[in-house]
Amino acid sequence: MGGNARKLSVRWVAVELLVMALIGLVFGFLGPFGTYAMPVAMRLAYWVGFIIVGYAIFRPVSISAGWLRESIGIPVWTAELMATAVAALPLTFLIGFAISGMRFDPDVLGDRFVLLYLQCAAIGFGIFLFMRLLFGAEEAGEHVSDDRLEPDQPKKEPVKQTVKPVQTQLHDRLSPGFSSPIIALGVEDHYVRVHSAERSEMLLLRLSDAIRETKPLEGMQVHRSWWVSRDAIVTSKREGRNLRLSLSGGLEVPVSRAYVTKLKQTGWI
């Protein structure tokens, strides 16, 4: 019931809880799914209470789905549908228990349970969509996230870094004046742009072939259109939910979600 990728500061939890309460009030006034016949006060308490309980169930499941998405590179919608399917189950049991008079009623496990489950899942996924619309959608490379700075935490200033001068086979394809260390490769149409800290040149070459010719440089592909040299990485930063690498010379390179975990595991970020 909310975006996966925000680090849960106390302030942010308070904001999300306020939004959940407001959503509960809207449902309470509308009285959907046969609840309009309830007295107004009871109806409002019912919806606000269960929306907040649903948040307490959906939120950690949604965060776990985000971690799974990072690890295996599945689409955000697939991960969130999985989270909704899982989280709606315990919420359905709780609501069924409550509407049965706080006792176990075997009848609730029949067709009524399926209908109630679908209602819980629909509301949960709808709130997820609403939160994405309200606070911003995650661009592929959702991630993620557990490194997100708190609102009051100052960002670290990039540290100047010198790239070691390494000549590669790729230098043989470049103009004689291009003797600087290669810091990144970026795809532009059918070309590869070779970047140094001071300049760049275009080569008619596939990215995979260009990467092979960067040896003995230690580098990694971080996006379907980008490769970076490890020595060139100054810092990493987030723009919303997107991760970017700042390289020596000021170049910034986007990182795809599928590569975030690998960068972390290798200690590059």
Side-chain angles (χ1 to χ4, degrees), residues 50 93-105 108 112:
F50 276 117
F93 276 109
L94 285 175
I95 296 177
F97 183 74
I99 63 179
S100 298
M102 304 304 288
R103 63 185 180 83
F104 176 73
D105 184 357
V108 176
R112 290 172 57 195

Side-chain angles (χ1 to χ4, degrees), residues 1-268:
M1 282 191 176
N4 306 342
R6 294 183 183 272
K7 188 172 181 178
L8 291 184
S9 66
V10 173
R11 181 181 301 180
W12 184 248
V13 170
V15 169
E16 290 188 333
L17 285 173
L18 176 60
V19 174
M20 293 302 114
L22 292 174
I23 292 173
L25 287 174
V26 172
F27 276 101
F29 281 114
L30 294 177
F33 306 121
T35 61
Y36 195 78
M38 299 168 63
V40 176
M42 183 180 296
R43 190 170 71 235
L44 292 174
Y46 172 90
W47 278 107
V48 171
F50 276 117
I51 291 294
I52 291 178
V53 169
Y55 167 82
I57 296 173
F58 273 72
R59 194 62 168 91
V61 175
S62 183
I63 292 173
S64 298
W67 294 338
L68 177 65
R69 185 175 76 248
E70 270 197 336
S71 299
I72 63 178
I74 60 177
V76 60
W77 301 108
T78 301
E80 197 59 37
L81 284 170
M82 292 169 57
T84 300
V86 172
L89 193 59
L91 181 60
T92 304
F93 276 109
L94 285 175
I95 296 177
F97 183 74
I99 63 179
S100 298
M102 304 304 288
R103 63 185 180 83
F104 176 73
D105 184 357
D107 292 338
V108 176
L109 299 180
D111 294 339
R112 290 172 57 195
F113 182 86
V114 175
L115 178 60
L116 187 58
Y117 172 80
L118 293 176
Q119 291 172 350
C120 290
I123 292 172
F125 193 72
I127 292 177
F128 161 73
L129 295 177
F130 175 75
M131 295 293 280
R132 281 175 61 89
L133 179 65
L134 185 62
F135 294 109
E138 174 181 273
E139 179 68 22
E142 54 256 329
H143 212 316
V144 185
S145 54
D146 48 5
D147 295 333
R148 183 180 176 89
L149 292 174
E150 297 292 344
D152 297 329
Q153 182 177 346
K155 293 183 178 180
K156 295 180 179 179
E157 292 296 326
V159 179
K160 291 185 179 180
Q161 184 167 336
T162 303
V163 182
K164 299 176 183 178
V166 177
Q167 292 297 305
T168 68
Q169 184 179 347
L170 195 57
H171 278 91
D172 296 337
R173 297 179 180 269
L174 300 168
S175 63
F178 198 115
S179 57
S180 303
I182 295 170
I183 64 171
L185 306 174
V187 175
E188 297 183 18
D189 295 326
H190 299 293
Y191 293 82
V192 169
R193 182 176 292 277
V194 183
H195 295 269
S196 73
E198 298 85 17
R199 59 184 296 179
S200 67
E201 284 189 15
M202 299 275 279
L203 295 176
L204 182 57
L205 191 66
R206 294 185 304 177
L207 179 61
S208 58
D209 293 333
I211 291 174
R212 279 195 294 270
E213 295 187 10
T214 59
K215 295 179 180 179
L217 276 176
E218 183 181 6
M220 183 187 300
Q221 187 170 354
V222 297
H223 187 278
R224 66 180 180 179
S225 301
W226 285 93
W227 172 96
V228 298
S229 166
R230 179 172 188 174
D231 288 339
I233 298 175
V234 176
T235 187
S236 61
K237 66 178 183 179
R238 295 199 172 275
E239 295 179 352
R241 297 178 181 176
N242 302 323
L243 179 67
R244 301 181 73 85
L245 298 177
S246 295
L247 308 184
S248 54
L251 181 66
E252 292 190 352
V253 174
V255 179
S256 294
R257 180 178 63 242
Y259 295 97
V260 172
T261 300
K262 186 176 180 181
L263 284 168
K264 291 179 179 178
Q265 289 174 344
T266 54
W268 285 30

